[in-house]
C-alpha cells in the first residue's frame, strides 16, 4: 500500500471510525518501510490541522524503530498540543528506552491523570531492560518534589522497577514518619510486590503494629508477599510472621491454623488442584461500582445495569446445575472490607463470593479511574491469588479494571472471556452524526474521552481472549466489522452471541403485588398475565407497601393539577451517555409536558459525582428545583432494583389520584448495547421507547411493544414518546403479555447462565489441551 496511500485513507475516510482503523495501516506501512520519505510523510501529517492524521503519525513514528524517527517522537513530548503529548507518551512504550525522554515522561507522571498513566506505563516497560536508569531518574525527580500527590505518583512509579536498586528507596520512604501518608502508602503497597529484599516482613510488621490506614496497607502488602495462595485451607506459611503477634481483628480460628496476615483458615481440606474440586471458578468484575448482594447502591454513580447483572448472574451460575460452582465478583470497596473479604475467599470453595478492590479513599468515576491502574492490578492479583483455583476471568468493559485484570490473568496463566461491545465506537458514531464530534476537534475530545485508547483496548482484549461474547444486534457480523473491525466469520467456534438476562421472578412479583395493591375495590379484572403472577403476591407483600408509599409521597409533592397524569419513567445512571438530561430537555420543551409527568430514578442526589452533577446542572437549567412540582418533574435518586421494579409496575397500573394508568418507559441513551432496564420495563408490561441502534432493536417490536428512535434527535424523540403514550393508552393486556413473553423466552438471567457455563467449560478444556506436553516428530 505504501505510507502515503495509507495516510491518504486516513485523511479521506468517510467517518471518524474509518479513519481510526485506517491509522493502523499507517503504522504498519511505517514499520515496513522506515525510510526518509516515510518520515517526511509522517512529519507533514503532524503539522496538519487534521487531528486524526496527526495522532496516526505519532503512533507510526514508534513503529519505525529508527533513531531519527524516535528522536522526533521524543520531541513530541514537548509539543504545544496536549493530545499529541499524550499520544507520544503512549507510543514511546513501543520503543527501546530513550534516556532523553525519561525526565519529560516523569513530568507527565507528576501531573497525573490519564496522560500520567500512559507515561508511567511506558516507564514500567522500559524498566524491564533499563531498571537501574529508571530508578535513578525517579529518585532524582523526588529530590525536587514536595507536593504529596506528586511524590506518591513518583514513588508508585519507582515501585514498578523490578531491579533491587528500587527497594532501598521504597523502604526508606515507607518507614519515614516525615513523609505524607499518601506517599508512604504508595511505598508500602509497592514493597508487597518485592521478592528481592530480605527483612521486608519485619518492616511491614512494625507498620502493622502502629495501627491506622498505614497498618491496613501493610497487612495487604504482607499478603502480597506470600509466594502461594491459601487455596482453601492449605498455605505454606501457617506460623505467624516474626514480630506480628496474633493479628487480631479478623475473627476466631475455626480451622487448621492462622494465616500470618489474614487470620484463620477454615478446614476445607486440600488445595485446589489436588483432585477434589467439583466445578469451575469464574471471576467477573466491574471496579467502578459498589456491588453487594442487596444491590443497595443500584443507580448511584457508576452502579448501573452491569452491577445488577453481575449479582444476578453470579447467583444463577452457582445455583443451577452446571460446571460452575464458584463465582468471584470483584468491585471497588473500602480498605478494611477488602481484607475481610480475603479471609472468606481463602476458605470458601463454592458459591457466589464478593471481593472488593480498594482503589481510593473516595469513590472514583470510571472515566477518572485510569490513574489507579497499578492499584487495581495489585488488588485484582491479590484476590485471584488468595481465592486460588480461578479457571476463567470474564471481562466486559474497556476500562481500567479490564486493563488491569487482563495483565493479571496473563501473569497468572488464567484464560479470559471478553464480552465485545462497540463502546466507545457507538458513542463516537452518534456524536459524529449529531455534529458534536468532528475531525478538527477530535484531539480535544480524545483528551476527555480517550476514544483512541479505548478502541485500541477493545481490539486488544478481544484478540487476547480465549473466547469472545457478543450482544445480539441487527446485522451483528456487519456491525462488528464496521464499528470495531472484527471479523466474526473467522474462527467462529471462538465467538458466541449471548443475550443478557433479567431476574423475571423479581419483575413478576412486582407486577402481581402492585396490580393487587392498586386494583379497584370489589375485585380485579385479571388478565392472563395477572392470573399467572398473582401466586407471587404473597411472597413479599411487606415490600410493596413501603415502595408504593414512597412513590406516592414523591408524586404527592406535585401541584394538584399535575396529579393524575400518566408517568414517563426512566431508570438508570445520571450520565451523559444515558441521556437523562436530554430526556428532561425533550419533555419540557414539547407538548409532552402537558400529557405526562416525568419520573427519573437514578443518581446520588445527596453526594453527586462529577458526571451526575453535570447532568443535574443541565436539568436545573430546564427546571429549577422549586419549579419541578409545578412542571411535573420528579428526580427520585437511586433506588434498589426491586423498588425500581415496583415503581415501573406502578407506572403501568397507575396510583389512585396520583398517576393515571398507561405510563411509558423511556430510555434516551445515546447508545444502549443491550438495555437491562428496558427488558425489565417490557417484562412489566410497559410500552418502551428505546434507541434504534444496538441491542434494543433485536427485541423491541416497533409500534407494538415499544418504539425505536434516534434518541439524539430531540424532535424525533419527542414524537416517538408521544406515539408511545398513545399506544399505552389502549391498556392492551395482550400487548403487555407479548412484551413479557419476549423477555421470558429469550432474556432471563437463568438462560444467560445456561449459555455462558458451557463456554467457560470449553475454554478450560481448551487450556488443558494447551498444557499437555507435545511430542516433536522423531
Amino acid at each position: 500500500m505504501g505510507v502515503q496511500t495509507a495516510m491518504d485513507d486516513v485523511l479521506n475516510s468517510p467517518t471518524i471510525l474509518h479513519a481510526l482503523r485506517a491509522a493502523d495501516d499507517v503504522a504498519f506501512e511505517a514499520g515496513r518501510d522506515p525510510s526518509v520519505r516515510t518520515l517526511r510523510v509522517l512529519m507533514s501529517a503532524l503539522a496538519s490541522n487534521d487531528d486524526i492524521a496527526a495522532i496516526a503519525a505519532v503512533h507510526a513514528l514508534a513503529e519505525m524503530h529508527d533513531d531519527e524517527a524516535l528522536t522526533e517522537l521524543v520531541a513530541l513530548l514537548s509539543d504545544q498540543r496536549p493530545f499529541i503529548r499524550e499520544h507520544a507518551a503512549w507510543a514511546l512504550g513501543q520503543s527501546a528506552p530513550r534516556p532523553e525522554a525519561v525526565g519529560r515522561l516523569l513530568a507527565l507522571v507528576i501531573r497525573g491523570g490519564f496522560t500520567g498513566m500512559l507515561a508511567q506505563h511506558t516507564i514500567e516497560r522500559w524498566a524491564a531492560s533499563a531498571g537501574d536508569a529508571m530508578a535513578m531518574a525517579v529518585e532524582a525527580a523526588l529530590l525536587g518534589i514536595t507536593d504529596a500527590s506528586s511524590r506518591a505518583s513518583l514513588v508508585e512509579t519507582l515501585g514498578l522497577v523490578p531491579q533491587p536498586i528500587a527497594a532501598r528507596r521504597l523502604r526508606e520512604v515507607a518507614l519515614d514518619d516525615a513523609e505524607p501518608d499518601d506517599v508512604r502508602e504508595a511505598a508500602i503497597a509497592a514493597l508487597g510486590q518485592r521478592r528481592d529484599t530480605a527483612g521486608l516482613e519485619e518492616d511491614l510488621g512494625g507498620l502493622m503494629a502502629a495501627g491506622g490506614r498505614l497498618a491496613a496497607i501493610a497487612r495487604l502488602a504482607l499478603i502480597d508477599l506470600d509466594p502461594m495462595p491459601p487455596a482453601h485451607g492449605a498455605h505454606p506459611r501457617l506460623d505467624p510472621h516474626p514480630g506480628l503477634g496474633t493479628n487480631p481483628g479478623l475473627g476466631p480460628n475455626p480451622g487448621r491454623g492462622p494465616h500470618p496476615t489474614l487470620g484463620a483458615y477454615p478446614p476445607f481440606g486440600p488445595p485446589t488442584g489436588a483432585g477434589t474440586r467439583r466445578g469451575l471458578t469464574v471471576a467477573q468484575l466491574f471496579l467502578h461500582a459498589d456491588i453487594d448482594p442487596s444491590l443497595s447502591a443500584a443507580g448511584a454513580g457508576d452502579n448501573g445495569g452491569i452491577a445488577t447483572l453481575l449479582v444476578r448472574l453470579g447467583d444463577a451460575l452457582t445455583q443451577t446445575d452446571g460446571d460452575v460452582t464458584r463465582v468471584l465478583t470483584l468491585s471497588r470497596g473500602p480498605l478494611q472490607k477488602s481484607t475481610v473479604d480475603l479471609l472468606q475467599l481463602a476458605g470458601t470453595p463454592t458459591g457466589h463470593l464478593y471481593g472488593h478492590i480498594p482503589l481510593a479513599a473516595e469513590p472514583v468515576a470510571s472515566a477518572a479511574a485510569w490513574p489507579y491502574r497499578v492499584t487495581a492490578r495489585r488488588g485484582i492479583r491479590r484476590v485471584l491469588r488468595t481465592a486460588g483455583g480461578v479457571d476463567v476471568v470474564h471481562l466486559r468493559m474497556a476500562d481500567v479494571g479490564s486493563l488491569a485484570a487482563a495483565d493479571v490473568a496473563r501473569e497468572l496463566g488464567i484464560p479470559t472471556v471478553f464480552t465485545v461491545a462497540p463502546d466507545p465506537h457507538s458513542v463516537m458514531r452518534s456524536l459524529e452524526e449529531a455534529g458534536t464530534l468532528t475531525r478538527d476537534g477530535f484531539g480535544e475530545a480524545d483528551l476527555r474521552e480517550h476514544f483512541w485508547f479505548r478502541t485500541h483496548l477493545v481490539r486488544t482484549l478481544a484478540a487476547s481472549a480465549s473466547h469472545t461474547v457478543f450482544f445480539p444486534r441487527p446485522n451483528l457480523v456487519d456491525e462488528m466489522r464496521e464499528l470495531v473491525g472484527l471479523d466474526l466469520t473467522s474462527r467462529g467456534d471462538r465467538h458466541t452471541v449471548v443475550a443478557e438476562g433479567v431476574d423475571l421472578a423479581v419483575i413478576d412479583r412486582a407486577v402481581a403485588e402492585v396490580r393487587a395493591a392498586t386494583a379497584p375495590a370489589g375485585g380485579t379484572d385479571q388478565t392472563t398475565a395477572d392470573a399467572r403472577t398473582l401466586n407471587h403476591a404473597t411472597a413479599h407483600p411487606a415490600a410493596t407497601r413501603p415502595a408504593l408509599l414512597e412513590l406516592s409521597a414523591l408524586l404527592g409533592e406535585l401541584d394538584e393539577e399535575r396529579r393524575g397524569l400518566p408517568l414517563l419513567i426512566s431508570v438508570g445512571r445520571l450520565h451523559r451517555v444515558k441521556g437523562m438530561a436530554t430526556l428532561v430537555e425533550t419533555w419540557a420543551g414539547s407538548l409532552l409536558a402537558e400529557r405526562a409527568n416525568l419520573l427519573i430514578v437514578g443518581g446520588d442526589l445527596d453526594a453527586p459525582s462529577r458526571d451526575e452533577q453535570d447532568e443535574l446542572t443541565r436539568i436545573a437549567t430546564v427546571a429549577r428545583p422549586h419549579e419541578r412540582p409545578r412542571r411535573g418533574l420528579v428526580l427520585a435518586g437511586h433506588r434498589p432494583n426491586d423498588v425500581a421494579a415496583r415503581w415501573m409496575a406502578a407506572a403501568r397500573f397507575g396510583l389512585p389520584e396520583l398517576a393515571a394508568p398507561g405510563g411509558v418507559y423511556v430510555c434516551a441513551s445515546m447508545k444502549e448495547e443491550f438495555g437491562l432496564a428496558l427488558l425489565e420495563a417490557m417484562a412489566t408490561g410497559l410500552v418502551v421507547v428505546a434507541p434504534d441502534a444496538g441491542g434494543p432493536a433485536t427485541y423491541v417490536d416497533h409500534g407494538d411493544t415499544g418504539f425505536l428512535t434516534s434518541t439524539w434527535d430531540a424532535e424525533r424523540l419527542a414524537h416517538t414518546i408521544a406515539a408511545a403514550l398513545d399506544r399505552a393508552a389502549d391498556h392492551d393486556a395482550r400487548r403487555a403479555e407479548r412484551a413479557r413473553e419476549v423477555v421470558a423466552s429469550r432474556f432471563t438471567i437463568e438462560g444467560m447462565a445456561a449459555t455462558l457455563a458451557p463456554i467457560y467449560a470449553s475454554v478450560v478444556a481448551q487450556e488443558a489441551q494447551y498444557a499437555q506436553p507435545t511430542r516433536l516428530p522423531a
Side-chain angles (χ1 to χ4, degrees):
M1 176 185 291
V3 71
Q4 183 66 71
T5 302
M7 185 60 76
D8 287 343
D9 285 347
V10 171
L11 292 167
N12 299 319
S13 291
T15 68
I16 289 175
L17 281 172
H18 278 92
L20 263 61
R21 286 206 303 279
D24 291 339
D25 293 332
V26 176
F28 174 80
E29 293 297 334
R32 192 177 64 85
D33 179 23
S35 64
V36 173
R37 183 175 182 277
T38 294
L39 182 59
R40 289 173 180 167
V41 170
L42 299 182
M43 297 308 294
S44 176
L46 274 165
S48 73
N49 293 323
D50 190 298
D51 291 354
I52 298 177
I55 295 172
V58 173
H59 292 279
L61 285 172
E63 293 300 323
M64 290 180 67
H65 300 291
D66 170 82
D67 188 68
E68 188 174 356
L70 291 177
T71 298
E72 295 290 353
L73 183 57
V74 171
L76 293 177
L77 291 174
S78 302
D79 193 273
Q80 63 179 355
R81 295 164 291 182
F83 66 90
I84 292 295
R85 297 198 297 268
E86 178 172 284
H87 281 272
W90 174 17
L92 279 166
Q94 303 300 316
S95 73
R98 304 288 294 191
E100 70 272 26
V102 175
R104 277 176 278 186
L105 287 171
L106 290 175
L108 295 176
V109 170
I110 289 170
R111 293 176 191 172
F114 184 78
T115 305
M117 181 274 290
L118 294 175
Q120 184 188 64
H121 186 254
T122 292
I123 292 289
E124 180 181 14
R125 297 190 69 166
W126 287 358
S129 60
D132 288 354
M134 297 303 111
M136 288 187 288
V138 174
E139 287 200 53
L142 279 167
L143 294 176
I145 299 297
T146 57
D147 176 71
S149 177
S150 299
R151 287 184 67 80
S153 296
L154 288 173
V155 169
E156 182 182 74
T157 305
L158 182 63
L160 301 175
V161 177
Q163 284 77 5
I165 186 176
R168 173 190 55 80
R169 184 65 173 133
L170 290 172
R171 292 177 75 172
E172 291 175 358
V173 173
L175 300 175
D176 187 352
D177 291 337
E179 287 280 7
D181 282 355
D182 289 355
V183 182
R184 297 182 69 190
E185 286 180 19
I188 294 167
L191 289 175
Q193 314 303 309
R194 314 304 300 192
R195 300 290 184 268
D196 53 13
T197 307
L200 287 182
E201 294 174 355
E202 289 79 6
D203 292 342
L204 295 173
L207 290 166
M208 281 183 60
R213 181 174 172 85
L214 291 180
I217 299 288
R219 172 178 285 146
L220 293 180
L222 275 168
I223 295 167
D224 291 341
L225 280 176
D226 290 330
M228 293 176 61
H232 311 327
H235 194 282
R237 298 179 179 177
L238 296 180
D239 296 323
H241 287 290
L244 294 189
T246 57
N247 299 311
L250 289 174
N253 177 7
R256 300 186 302 166
H259 183 287
T261 49
L262 282 177
Y265 296 125
F268 283 108
T272 297
T276 59
R277 258 179 58 230
R278 296 183 298 174
L280 303 179
T281 292
V282 176
Q284 56 180 7
L285 70 152
F286 182 60
L287 297 192
H288 313 297
D290 304 296
I291 302 180
D292 64 87
S294 68
L295 294 169
S296 59
D302 288 322
N303 291 274
I306 181 64
T308 301
L309 177 74
L310 295 185
V311 171
R312 305 289 196 217
L313 178 60
D315 291 345
L317 283 167
T318 57
Q319 291 173 2
T320 58
D321 293 334
D323 297 300
V324 180
T325 57
R326 187 170 60 143
V327 173
L328 312 178
T329 295
L330 280 60
S331 66
R332 71 186 178 200
L335 190 61
Q336 296 297 338
K337 176 62 175 170
S338 69
T339 307
V340 175
D341 290 341
L342 295 175
L343 180 58
Q344 181 184 23
L345 291 171
T348 308
T350 60
H352 187 186
L353 309 175
Y354 295 83
H356 292 86
I357 310 299
L359 291 182
E362 298 294 331
V364 178
S366 59
W370 296 100
Y372 294 93
R373 175 184 67 94
V374 174
T375 301
R377 187 170 64 190
R378 289 172 180 165
I380 293 167
R381 180 192 296 117
R382 183 183 305 122
V383 168
L384 298 187
R385 290 177 69 248
T386 301
V390 176
D391 297 288
V392 180
V393 177
H394 194 146
L395 308 175
R396 286 184 168 84
M397 297 284 184
D399 60 4
V400 71
S402 291
L403 175 65
D407 283 349
V408 175
R410 190 180 308 112
E411 172 193 334
L412 300 181
I414 303 172
T416 61
V417 171
F418 179 50
T419 296
V420 183
D423 183 13
H425 313 73
S426 297
V427 173
M428 293 169 64
R429 181 171 66 178
S430 295
L431 290 173
E432 187 174 17
E433 289 175 348
T436 55
L437 180 64
T438 60
R439 293 180 68 101
D440 58 358
F442 180 83
E444 291 300 318
D446 192 57
L447 272 177
R448 297 188 304 270
E449 304 292 344
H450 323 308
F451 288 136
W452 200 293
F453 184 87
R454 288 162 58 201
T455 56
H456 174 80
L457 182 57
V458 169
R459 292 198 307 272
T460 301
L461 293 174
S464 61
S466 297
H467 202 97
T468 50
V469 169
F470 298 85
F471 296 124
R473 297 173 68 92
N475 307 313
L476 176 65
V477 173
D478 292 339
E479 287 214 348
M480 286 299 108
R481 184 183 294 113
E482 174 74 13
L483 292 176
V484 187
L486 295 179
D487 183 5
L488 271 62
T489 63
S490 175
R491 293 305 307 265
D493 57 320
R494 293 186 180 177
H495 312 304
T496 304
V497 177
V498 179
E500 290 188 341
V502 300
D503 190 337
L504 197 58
V506 171
I507 305 300
D508 284 348
R509 185 161 54 241
V511 168
E513 292 175 357
V514 173
R515 178 69 177 89
T518 59
T524 64
D525 179 18
Q526 290 188 13
T527 66
T528 303
D530 294 331
R532 179 187 57 249
T533 59
L534 274 176
N535 63 326
H536 292 284
T538 57
H540 297 285
T544 303
R545 180 174 174 80
L548 294 187
L549 286 176
E550 189 177 17
L551 179 58
S552 297
L554 289 170
L555 297 180
E557 294 176 1
L558 298 175
D559 284 4
E560 187 172 355
E561 61 269 20
R562 301 292 312 185
R563 300 172 199 166
L565 292 175
L567 281 176
L568 301 176
I569 181 172
S570 191
V571 180
R573 298 180 294 123
L574 291 185
H575 189 280
R576 176 179 57 84
V577 171
K578 292 300 180 182
M580 293 299 196
T582 298
L583 174 57
V584 174
E585 291 165 351
T586 301
W587 166 81
S590 67
L591 294 177
L592 293 171
E594 299 178 9
R595 297 186 58 184
N597 294 319
L598 177 57
L599 171 63
I600 302 291
V601 184
D604 188 336
L605 304 184
D606 296 324
S609 67
R610 184 180 65 180
D611 291 330
E612 290 173 331
Q613 187 58 61
D614 288 345
E615 289 292 283
L616 290 171
T617 300
R618 284 181 60 189
I619 291 171
T621 62
V622 177
R624 296 178 181 179
H626 70 275
E627 298 174 333
R628 291 168 190 168
R630 175 177 58 82
R631 303 281 295 277
L633 174 62
V634 178
L635 301 185
H638 70 94
R639 290 296 188 280
N641 182 253
D642 59 339
V643 172
R646 290 177 171 88
W647 287 9
M648 284 194 282
R652 175 190 170 187
F653 296 116
L655 288 176
E657 301 180 3
L658 293 171
V664 167
Y665 184 89
V666 182
C667 171
S669 296
M670 187 179 301
K671 59 95 185 175
E672 198 66 59
E673 300 306 334
F674 199 70
L676 290 171
L678 274 165
L679 286 172
E680 290 175 336
M682 282 182 57
T684 305
L686 285 168
V687 176
V688 301
V689 173
D692 58 3
T698 66
Y699 55 78
V700 175
D701 186 359
H702 183 73
D704 183 28
T705 59
F707 294 83
L708 301 167
T709 189
S710 299
T711 51
W712 51 266
D713 186 315
E715 185 176 347
R716 292 184 188 178
L717 179 59
H719 176 77
T720 304
I721 295 173
L725 283 168
D726 292 339
R727 182 74 177 97
D730 61 17
H731 308 299
D732 186 351
R734 289 174 296 179
R735 185 264 310 151
E737 175 69 5
R738 286 193 296 275
R740 182 196 177 278
E741 183 56 32
V742 169
V743 180
S745 61
R746 297 164 53 194
F747 302 116
T748 65
I749 197 66
E750 293 81 8
M752 183 182 183
T755 305
L756 281 175
I759 292 173
Y760 299 144
S762 69
V763 167
V764 173
Q766 184 65 56
E767 291 296 314
Q769 290 184 12
Y770 293 150
Q772 294 297 320
T774 57
R775 292 186 177 182
L776 297 176

